[in-house]
Amino acid sequence: MKVLILETADTAQERVVSLIAQTMRDKPNAVLGLATGGTMLPVYEKLVALHKNGGPSFRDVTTFNLDEYVGLAPEHPQSYRSYMNDVLFGKVDINLQRTHLPRGDARNPEDEALRYEAAIAQCGGLDLQLLGLGHNGHIGFNEPTSSLKSRTRIKTLTRETRDANSRYFRADETIPTFAITMGVGTILDARHCLLLATGAQKADAVAAMIEGPLAAVCPASALQLHPKATIVIDMAAAAKLKLLDYYLHVHPDGTAREVV
Ligand code: F6R
């Protein structure tokens, strides 16, 4: 696990954008795993700005999002498909046919999960999986006690996750109870996992993910098993790390220290 600690949320987002751009430069037809949520909004904003200012093209990129709410059609304003179209896909030169999210309105969500998992494999797997972090340690919608070997499937959202996401729904709207999410095992199959967490409210989950025991109760701790996991955090999110000084020594300002 590479732990990159940046001073502010802004510089942490910039680092994530530059790592995504690097992947796209190295492999113009990269398969990117994408995330939604509040943490990612400024990331996509910066990625779009970079793209418009001579950054890498999305023309040959394929994307698979982590998750979608069961019951929401793609056109629903709170669907993750709408989120992605609004903040990224509609603003770059991506071929929409190559952007994938699970269908929340599939007649049989379980079959849809299997189809989605197979579609990722058919594209040769994920080159880079972008991840946010839930306050409870979830990645994707793999809530605490998700199997660390799980594949794409239906998960019941915790009350905490539904409360956290209620800010996006109108008061008269029902917040979905279930989601289709890539499994922890699906995520771990990505060739590079890149997680961003910012703000003091994520500090407990960050500490559990990096320094806690490998445990299904904190699904993000499964990243400890990944051969190439990059965790980008700001100082506020890093506040509860016991080995903070060590991470800052290894990667001052989130850079890679030269071996001399
Ligand atoms: C969203 C997702 C979730 C979020 C997590 C953090 O696609 O997979 O795991 O990344 O809930 O959400 P925010 O960034 O809103 O705190």
Side-chain angles (χ1 to χ4, degrees), residues 34-40 65-68 80 130-136 138-142 161 164-165 167-168 181 196 201-202:
L34 299 177
T36 59
T39 310
M40 294 304 152
N65 265 77
L66 282 165
D67 40 24
E68 181 59 282
Y80 283 162
L130 184 60
L131 297 162
L133 179 65
H135 300 97
N136 60 7
H138 73 213
I139 46 175
F141 274 139
N142 294 285
T161 297
N165 291 357
R167 64 190 191 277
Y168 299 113
T181 179
L196 173 67
Q201 75 285 1
K202 297 285 172 77

Side-chain angles (χ1 to χ4, degrees), residues 64 100 114-124:
F64 285 91
H100 305 273
L114 294 176
R115 183 200 65 77
Y116 198 69
E117 181 80 27
I120 297 171
Q122 240 161 34
C123 283

Side-chain angles (χ1 to χ4, degrees), residues 5-212:
I5 304 173
L6 284 300
E7 195 57 40
T8 64
D10 191 61
T11 46
Q13 293 147 9
E14 273 165 17
R15 179 54 50 90
V16 165
V17 168
S18 78
L19 289 166
I20 298 170
Q22 188 62 51
T23 303
M24 292 167 66
R25 271 192 293 270
D26 291 348
K27 190 175 177 190
N29 63 346
V31 182
L32 302 180
L34 299 177
T36 59
T39 310
M40 294 304 152
L41 288 172
V43 169
Y44 294 131
E45 202 178 302
K46 288 176 164 66
L47 192 57
V48 169
L50 179 69
H51 167 75
K52 291 198 190 300
N53 288 301
S57 166
F58 287 78
R59 205 179 40 236
D60 298 321
V61 163
T62 297
T63 66
F64 285 91
N65 265 77
L66 282 165
D67 40 24
E68 181 59 282
Y69 292 115
V70 171
L72 300 197
E75 306 74 43
H76 190 287
Q78 263 59 256
S79 74
Y80 283 162
R81 162 56 78 179
S82 293
Y83 171 111
M84 291 308 301
N85 286 351
D86 290 350
V87 304
L88 183 67
F89 301 154
K91 297 183 171 169
V92 296
D93 61 346
I94 201 159
N95 176 352
L96 272 183
Q97 304 290 335
R98 277 203 283 268
T99 65
H100 305 273
L101 285 96
R103 288 284 305 218
D105 61 348
R107 190 183 302 226
N108 184 331
E110 272 152 24
D111 285 352
E112 172 61 6
L114 294 176
R115 183 200 65 77
Y116 198 69
E117 181 80 27
I120 297 171
Q122 240 161 34
C123 283
L126 304 163
D127 291 302
L128 177 73
Q129 178 63 58
L130 184 60
L131 297 162
L133 179 65
H135 300 97
N136 60 7
H138 73 213
I139 46 175
F141 274 139
N142 294 285
E143 299 285 34
T145 70
S146 287
S147 158
L148 301 185
K149 288 200 162 180
S150 50
R151 313 304 305 187
T152 306
R153 70 212 183 291
I154 314 303
K155 281 300 289 183
T156 308
L157 302 177
T158 60
R159 185 185 296 272
E160 191 188 4
T161 297
R162 294 178 75 221
D163 287 349
N165 291 357
S166 63
R167 64 190 191 277
Y168 299 113
F169 290 82
R170 287 197 320 264
D172 61 333
E173 280 180 323
T174 315
I175 303 153
T177 308
F178 302 100
I180 301 178
T181 179
M182 281 187 205
V184 180
T186 318
I187 293 169
L188 291 183
D189 281 350
R191 290 182 269 284
H192 182 189
C193 286
L194 173 60
L195 183 142
L196 173 67
T198 52
Q201 75 285 1
K202 297 285 172 77
D204 285 316
V206 164
M209 164 177 66
I210 298 173
E211 296 178 342

